[in-house]
Amino acid sequence: MHALTKSLPLEWTICLGHQMEVPYMGIMHPLIHTMEVQILTWFEPTPEPPELLMTMTMPLEIKYLFNLISEAFIDTLLSIPINMLDRIRNLNPNAMPISFLVWNVQGASQAFLAAFKEILRINKPSVVALVEAHMGSTQADFIASKFEFGGHLRIGAQGFSGGIWVYWRSEIVTVHSIHQSNQNITMETTRTGELPWYFSAIYTSPNPVKRHELWASLKDLASKRNHPLLLGGDFNDTRYDWERSTCCEEVKRRAIKFNEWVDDMELVELEFSGLSHTWARGNSEETRKSARLDRALCNAG
């Protein structure tokens, strides 16, 4: 009895043989009977290491310098002389884009102040809008002073609901309020030498009647003033089924109305990163609800 073994990945083939001699024409000849047995097994494959994904945000100053280098290279190819040093020396803050931060804080607590400080340090926004602040004027003034904002506007909370605070760096941008309500602050933002445009910090009412009043007001503003417009904040409405953990006919009807308003205003949805739902409530699987209520929209201007 003998055995021959061949090793294959995840498979073994074993050949078993038995040898005996039989007479044939007076001569003993060996005769081998063989049978082949396959034994198959399975091992869980070693998982591939997950890819490392990293998003890097380039500082605006560095990004602008890279743009200059790129332009200089193209200009060189076209044999057009360029003095890079003069252009770099002329860099100034007004050449950089205005950055906006809109945050639904749901109450400005002590923990909020620490987080807010870090966000300002990392992102360095020119204009900040805090919606659903739930705090009064004293706290709003304190934040303006603590974080050295040159200007600010505010709409106080109605009890423990709502409240919109807007802060800006007055050395970078000039802001003038053109419309205020319990649901929004719309302002004209201007930088020296540039055309003005509008920014509206939004916190819409859960009441559909009041919400539609805001939509009508913003539509009227857009029709009368031909300026670029950015809207950001808590719209208290969703546009698509996937933006809510639960959906019903009433929610779908509201989404249709909301989308009709977005189309009439010729607004474009700005991309976002992070969790698809920005609001959640409930501590158990049975009671938890979530939705994407916060967003930013702008027109083509």
Side-chain angles (χ1 to χ4, degrees), residues 80-111:
I80 300 175
I82 183 171
N83 190 330
M84 282 290 295
L85 291 178
D86 286 345
R87 295 183 69 177
I88 292 175
R89 289 192 190 103
N90 290 331
L91 285 177
N92 61 78
N94 288 340
M96 306 303 174
I98 300 175
S99 58
F100 284 75
L101 169 67
V102 183
W103 187 6
N104 188 337
V105 296
Q106 298 185 23
S109 62
Q110 189 65 34

Side-chain angles (χ1 to χ4, degrees), residues 163-210:
I164 303 173
W165 303 345
V166 178
Y167 303 91
W168 63 90
R169 304 292 184 191
S170 55
E171 67 275 15
I172 298 175
V173 63
T174 301
V175 173
H176 296 291
S177 174
I178 58 176
H179 181 265
Q180 294 187 25
S181 72
N182 292 333
Q183 300 184 80
N184 79 310
I185 298 178
T186 300
M187 62 212 80
E188 182 183 81
T189 61
T190 312
R191 190 162 49 186
T192 304
E194 296 185 4
L195 295 175
W197 57 288
Y198 297 138
F199 168 63
S200 188
I202 304 291
Y203 177 71
T204 57
S205 170
N207 185 321
V209 175
K210 292 183 179 180

Side-chain angles (χ1 to χ4, degrees), residues 12-23:
W12 286 263
T13 301
I14 303 176
C15 297
L16 301 176
H18 173 70
Q19 180 174 323
M20 60 180 296
E21 293 183 342
V22 296

Side-chain angles (χ1 to χ4, degrees), residues 10-300:
L10 305 182
E11 178 181 315
W12 286 263
T13 301
I14 303 176
C15 297
L16 301 176
H18 173 70
Q19 180 174 323
M20 60 180 296
E21 293 183 342
V22 296
Y24 177 71
M25 296 182 68
I27 302 175
M28 298 299 289
H29 293 273
L31 178 65
I32 299 178
H33 297 282
T34 65
M35 68 176 178
E36 185 176 276
V37 179
Q38 285 190 328
I39 302 176
L40 304 179
T41 186
W42 179 85
F43 293 105
E44 181 179 2
T46 303
E48 295 293 331
E51 294 183 4
L52 178 62
L53 301 178
M54 180 169 59
T55 301
M56 298 181 65
T57 301
M58 185 180 297
L60 294 176
E61 295 84 354
I62 302 299
K63 184 176 180 180
Y64 188 80
L65 289 175
F66 273 115
N67 287 339
L68 291 180
I69 293 171
S70 175
E71 292 171 12
F73 177 73
I74 295 173
D75 290 344
T76 301
L77 294 179
L78 298 175
S79 300
I80 300 175
I82 183 171
N83 190 330
M84 282 290 295
L85 291 178
D86 286 345
R87 295 183 69 177
I88 292 175
R89 289 192 190 103
N90 290 331
L91 285 177
N92 61 78
N94 288 340
M96 306 303 174
I98 300 175
S99 58
F100 284 75
L101 169 67
V102 183
W103 187 6
N104 188 337
V105 296
Q106 298 185 23
S109 62
Q110 189 65 34
F112 153 78
L113 292 176
F116 189 44
K117 179 180 180 179
E118 186 66 7
I119 288 174
L120 294 179
R121 184 187 68 80
I122 295 173
N123 296 281
K124 298 178 174 58
S126 308
V127 181
V128 176
L130 305 178
V131 301
E132 205 170 356
H134 296 180
M135 294 289 178
S137 58
T138 302
Q139 183 76 341
D141 292 336
F142 170 76
I143 290 176
S145 174
K146 178 177 177 61
F147 297 105
E148 299 180 345
F149 287 104
H152 70 282
L153 296 167
R154 63 176 180 269
I155 297 296
Q158 304 297 306
F160 292 97
S161 176
I164 303 173
W165 303 345
V166 178
Y167 303 91
W168 63 90
R169 304 292 184 191
S170 55
E171 67 275 15
I172 298 175
V173 63
T174 301
V175 173
H176 296 291
S177 174
I178 58 176
H179 181 265
Q180 294 187 25
S181 72
N182 292 333
Q183 300 184 80
N184 79 310
I185 298 178
T186 300
M187 62 212 80
E188 182 183 81
T189 61
T190 312
R191 190 162 49 186
T192 304
E194 296 185 4
L195 295 175
W197 57 288
Y198 297 138
F199 168 63
S200 188
I202 304 291
Y203 177 71
T204 57
S205 170
N207 185 321
V209 175
K210 292 183 179 180
R211 192 161 55 247
H212 292 159
E213 290 176 356
L214 175 62
W215 300 158
S217 172
L218 290 172
K219 187 176 180 179
D220 181 64
L221 170 70
S223 66
K224 293 180 178 178
R225 308 193 184 208
N226 187 24
H227 288 316
L229 174 64
L230 172 65
L231 311 172
D234 185 344
F235 286 78
N236 255 316
D237 249 331
T238 51
R239 301 185 62 189
Y240 311 105
D241 291 352
W242 63 266
E243 292 184 343
R244 286 186 183 269
S245 57
T246 59
C247 195
C248 63
E249 291 304 317
E250 173 60 18
V251 168
K252 292 180 179 180
R253 187 189 66 80
R254 286 171 52 181
I256 291 173
K257 293 291 185 182
F258 188 25
N259 281 315
E260 287 176 351
W261 176 77
V262 171
D263 292 340
D264 289 343
M265 291 276 290
E266 298 182 349
L267 298 174
V268 177
E269 183 91 32
L270 298 184
E271 294 295 329
F272 72 101
S273 61
L275 298 176
S276 59
H277 290 184
T278 61
W279 169 88
R281 179 173 295 170
N283 299 322
S284 66
E285 185 176 349
E286 293 77 16
T287 61
R288 187 172 180 80
K289 296 181 180 179
S290 63
R292 185 190 175 195
L293 303 181
D294 303 272
R295 60 191 350 110
L297 302 165
C298 68
N299 63 10

